[in-house]
Amino acid sequence: MTIRTINDGVLNSPEAEAYFTTKADRRVLIGFRAALEMLAIPLPEYARRKETGRPTTTKLIARQYAEDNPQPRTGDTLSPRSASTGLSAQQRRAQPKTGDAREITRQASLFRQAFATQG
């Protein structure tokens, strides 16, 4: 197999961008993108697919944050998590219970305290 060198300067030129963004049919751009992907040539910015639909505010903020902060985030969270987060159901059942819910309700009921009958 013969190895050929491809000059990608033509692909990144303003003329190519003007052609593919204004004059070329959508199917031509699809074929251009497919050919570059098959040859493992990086796609120019104008040939990249756009996100489908309207981007949400969250996506716009996340994209802008990623551009401003190129380093990847670590596993640290922004706020502390509660102790029960990440526990399996079996681990939660194994935790000691503080008391029966009915008994706690009976003792701490504001209604019972306010309107207790003396007798």
Side-chain angles (χ1 to χ4, degrees), residues 60-107:
L60 293 173
I61 292 170
R63 184 182 312 133
Q64 187 63 46
Y65 180 84
E67 288 176 9
D68 293 342
N69 302 294
Q71 70 275 9
R73 290 183 57 199
T74 60
D76 298 338
T77 59
L78 298 176
S79 62
R81 302 288 185 208
S82 65
S84 64
T85 304
L87 295 178
S88 67
Q90 185 179 11
Q91 291 170 329
R92 272 187 256 121
R93 283 192 297 266
Q95 289 180 339
K97 299 201 188 265
T98 56
D100 186 23
R102 288 177 295 201
E103 183 62 32
I104 292 171
T105 305
R106 196 174 301 121
Q107 292 172 357

